[in-house]
Amino acid sequence: MSEMLAIPFMRTAVAAGLLLAAVLAYLGIHVVRRRIVFVDLAIAQLSAVGVTIGLLLEKDPVIVSMAVTLAGAALLSLPARERRIPQEAIMGIVYAVATAAAVLLIARMPHGEADLMNLFFGNILAVTPGQIGLLGSVSGAAVLAHAFFAKRLTPSSQTPEGVSGGEWAGWGWNLFFYLTLALVITVAIRTAGVLLVFSDLIIPAVTALLWVHRWFALILVSVTVGLVGNAAGFYASYRFDLPAGPAIVACLGGGLLLAAVGRGLARLTFRSPSV
Amino acid sequence: MKKIGITVFIFLCLFRQADAGPLRVVTTTEDLASIAREVGGSLVVVESLTRGSQDPHFLEARPSLILKTSRADLFIQVGMGLEAGWAPALLTGARNPTILPGNPGHLDGSLRIEPLEIPPGPVDRSQGDVHPFGNPHYWLDPENGRILARAVASHLTERLPDQSSQIEKNLSSFLRRLDEGMARWTDRMRPYRGAKVVTYHRSWSYFARRFGLEVVGYVEPKPGIPPSPAYLQGLIGRMKQEGVRVVVMEPYFGRALADLLSRETGAKVLTLPPSVGGAEGVNTYPDLFDHLVGRLTSAFPEGR
């Protein structure tokens, strides 16, 4: 471990990875409880569409992309009128249609290539100190805002049905949540790529939900799982010379599997108390 | 006292040797690595970041690749945007100022050769920012291999001025082998001069120009964007009309579209490695052309 941290680029990558893991593991609890797991993929593709629109309009792609992503997140936060249609379906549709739109837009460009979109997605090993600064300030601001408004925000995530059932009163908090989430995810994807961000967001939260119930316990366990999984993944990546993102995802996945098996065994052993 | 003096002298020699060591060269592709090995000989240790069987447009960074780059004395890349998706991040991560663009440890081969297919007119953002400098697959013309070898030699001489005669010797022996190869390849390709082919992407332009093949069309006009039905229909019509017998593609693309063209027109799909290491027995830069010429000449029907 210390050998790995003696290498400057690994140090930067691990710092960025752990920062990302902690913030995403916290946001992930909101995301999983709200049943909007695909929100991250939808936001990733919206930002890719934004980049292609920026290139077509000859405007700064980063700014156009941010505008498109935030507008999309605001639309996603609108309360669903039809109860039989889950929010998850909307997320999946936005993901698919945005992916298609990006391909169609690139097809209109004289020299466009599909890997143009990939240029926008980062790799955690190649993180720059500047990116850590941006990531730190955006996610720090988001977490502070969440902590400040926790009393209003937490209930809206704990009973998402109450909000998405058409009550416009709760919509403001919904919008606030989606905008902060979109900001963090857009920056995170540019630092670490879609695969790692999705896993950092969802896997620790699901692992925590297997074992604990109370909100603060959920946050504590989720963040711990995220940090440990990322540290283990970085070590495996260094030790066995593997791409870092997939190595971390594999460690998080392995951890979830262990947690699930452990939960099953615990349920068998102490049948009555855990029902 | 004398003994100690000699021992110290020997130690100093050993240390100098270890310090000087062979020059560490890191290349983005195996073609560049092969050329660097030929020119540098025992003066260099060369490692390529991508394998010849991989699409050089994509590379997932691993810790060892960044580590290699951080310790390199000379970094050689194809340029023209070929590695734009990953090399800049790798160079940033490596934090090795000697090999950054503009420094003596950085060689961008594309600045030395004469590019094909530079987009006409002013290049702006709307054109996708991808290959605005022209087609980057220039190593598939052995004449550009000569230019690359000379560029590598001059960079090595700059770093190792004491070894200039050795480098010069290696260079001229490599150029002689390329000359002999060139005569052989041109000879074998001569009967097929003007033969019409369709290629998957625009990656065979330099090869086709050097050996007199005519590229009639592309399976996927824009990499990663599936062709439209009208485009495919037009391509099939053109292939039938012009009598295209061969569709050339790289091993790492999906075969579905090429097979469709083959079913519709009876043309043969030929999977050719675009790089050293991309097929069994293709271990050096000259091997690559022996392999390509051999496979192509046996794919064309007799006499044409």
Side-chain angles (χ1 to χ4, degrees):
Chain A
M1 204 79 171
S2 62
E3 188 193 347
M4 168 174 95
L5 293 176
I7 303 166
F9 75 82
M10 283 305 287
R11 222 160 36 222
T12 321
V14 171
L18 294 184
L19 173 62
L20 212 58
V23 178
L24 292 176
Y26 158 68
L27 287 173
I29 295 179
H30 285 277
V31 167
V32 174
R33 285 301 304 272
R34 284 166 174 262
R35 302 179 189 279
I36 51 167
V37 171
F38 286 137
V39 71
D40 155 64
L41 301 180
I43 288 174
Q45 287 308 322
L46 282 173
S47 65
V49 174
V51 171
T52 54
I53 293 176
L55 291 174
L56 267 182
L57 297 179
E58 299 179 38
K59 298 281 185 307
D60 185 347
V62 174
I63 292 172
V64 177
S65 161
M66 199 44 110
V68 169
T69 312
L70 289 181
L75 283 178
L76 285 174
S77 75
L78 287 175
R81 290 271 156 187
E82 177 57 76
R83 275 177 178 279
R84 286 174 306 154
I85 302 173
Q87 197 67 358
E88 201 71 303
I90 309 291
M91 301 292 162
I93 291 166
V94 168
Y95 164 75
V97 174
T99 309
V103 172
L104 292 177
L105 285 171
I106 292 173
R108 301 303 305 168
M109 297 182 196
H111 295 274
E113 296 189 16
D115 50 318
L116 190 67
M117 283 189 290
N118 296 334
L119 297 184
F120 196 62
F121 298 140
N123 182 312
I124 189 77
L125 281 185
V127 168
T128 61
Q131 278 177 317
I132 296 191
L134 182 65
L135 188 69
S137 40
V138 168
S139 48
V143 167
L144 273 182
H146 275 217
F148 194 73
F149 297 117
K151 279 222 171 72
R152 303 298 309 272
L153 201 60
T154 311
S156 89
S157 283
Q158 282 167 326
T159 50
E161 296 80 12
V163 175
S164 54
E167 279 179 39
W168 288 91
W171 179 59
W173 292 110
N174 226 9
L175 179 67
F176 170 77
F177 173 74
Y178 272 82
L179 290 183
T180 48
L181 183 72
L183 274 175
V184 173
I185 286 181
T186 314
V187 178
I189 286 166
R190 219 169 316 157
T191 319
V194 179
L195 180 71
L196 181 56
V197 171
F198 179 83
S199 309
D200 269 345
L201 191 67
I202 305 302
I203 300 180
V206 169
T207 313
L209 282 162
L210 273 178
W211 280 91
V212 289
H213 294 273
R214 286 186 29 236
W215 188 257
F216 281 105
L218 280 174
I219 294 176
L220 204 66
V221 173
S222 180
V223 170
T224 310
V225 167
L227 290 174
V228 171
N230 274 258
F234 272 116
Y235 183 69
S237 161
Y238 177 75
R239 180 76 178 69
F240 305 108
D241 195 26
L242 303 165
I248 295 170
V249 175
C251 283
L252 289 171
L256 174 60
L257 192 66
L258 283 180
V261 169
R263 189 72 194 131
L265 288 178
R267 227 163 245 181
L268 280 180
T269 324
F270 317 102
R271 209 162 248 169
S272 41
S274 63
V275 171
Chain B
M1 199 60 204
K2 209 174 180 185
K3 243 184 192 166
I4 294 174
I6 289 170
T7 321
V8 167
F9 179 67
I10 289 172
F11 260 92
L12 280 176
C13 285
L14 281 176
F15 266 95
R16 275 212 61 79
Q17 200 64 30
D19 186 33
L23 213 61
R24 282 170 295 228
V25 181
V26 167
T27 68
T28 57
T29 68
E30 290 210 50
D31 310 287
L32 297 173
S34 168
I35 293 172
R37 265 183 214 114
E38 300 278 356
V39 177
S42 58
L43 304 172
V44 294
V45 222
V46 185
E47 278 182 285
S48 166
L49 295 172
T50 61
R51 300 273 75 83
S53 49
Q54 284 176 315
D55 186 345
H57 283 91
F58 305 100
L59 179 69
E60 177 92 52
R62 299 194 307 273
S64 68
L65 300 184
I66 301 182
L67 213 56
K68 271 175 200 162
T69 314
S70 69
R71 291 172 181 161
D73 300 305
L74 176 58
F75 181 84
I76 312 178
Q77 65 170 15
V78 173
M80 281 175 157
L82 183 80
E83 307 98 336
W86 54 271
L90 204 67
L91 287 175
T92 311
R95 292 167 197 192
N96 177 355
T98 44
I99 58 161
L100 291 181
N103 290 348
H106 187 95
L107 172 55
D108 181 337
S110 70
L111 301 177
R112 311 299 181 102
I113 59 105
E114 197 180 309
L116 291 181
E117 295 167 15
I118 296 184
V123 175
D124 59 45
R125 273 264 161 81
S126 73
Q127 294 175 328
D129 259 359
V130 173
H131 287 321
F133 317 108
N135 185 326
H137 301 88
Y138 57 84
W139 69 88
L140 284 164
D141 177 353
E143 289 301 326
N144 286 336
R146 299 171 64 92
I147 297 173
L148 285 171
R150 288 216 178 84
V152 171
S154 78
H155 267 253
L156 289 181
T157 315
E158 204 175 305
R159 304 305 293 271
L160 304 167
D162 312 348
Q163 308 286 349
S164 61
S165 64
Q166 182 61 44
I167 294 166
E168 192 54 43
K169 218 170 92 190
N170 295 345
L171 175 66
S172 57
S173 120
F174 178 59
L175 293 182
R176 200 164 50 244
R177 272 173 59 213
L178 268 187
D179 281 340
E180 290 161 11
M182 200 59 202
R184 189 167 68 238
W185 303 320
T186 329
D187 215 38
R188 291 189 64 188
M189 289 296 285
R190 189 163 293 122
Y192 310 101
R193 197 152 266 282
K196 288 167 174 148
V197 296
V198 160
T199 65
Y200 201 88
H201 290 326
R202 296 172 182 268
S203 25
W204 300 91
S205 308
Y206 292 88
F207 184 88
R209 185 191 57 161
R210 179 57 57 198
F211 295 107
L213 300 177
E214 194 185 322
V215 181
V216 170
Y218 308 99
V219 179
E220 232 180 40
K222 285 180 192 178
I225 309 284
S228 69
Y231 178 88
L232 276 179
Q233 201 187 8
L235 183 61
I236 290 168
R238 219 169 332 138
M239 285 176 70
K240 284 182 175 159
Q241 195 187 336
E242 309 241 8
V244 174
R245 306 304 310 148
V246 171
V247 177
V248 173
M249 62 178 283
E250 284 88 336
Y252 38 75
F253 297 131
R255 277 188 70 105
L257 287 169
D259 283 341
L260 167 75
L261 294 177
S262 167
R263 280 200 302 278
E264 293 286 325
T265 68
K268 193 171 174 178
V269 179
L270 197 58
T271 312
L272 293 181
S275 277
V276 171
E280 195 79 28
V282 182
N283 300 320
T284 67
Y285 187 67
D287 284 354
L288 176 63
F289 294 96
D290 278 322
H291 181 86
L292 293 176
V293 167
R295 294 280 307 283
L296 272 167
T297 48
S298 56
F300 286 121
E302 275 309 308
R304 193 16 118 184

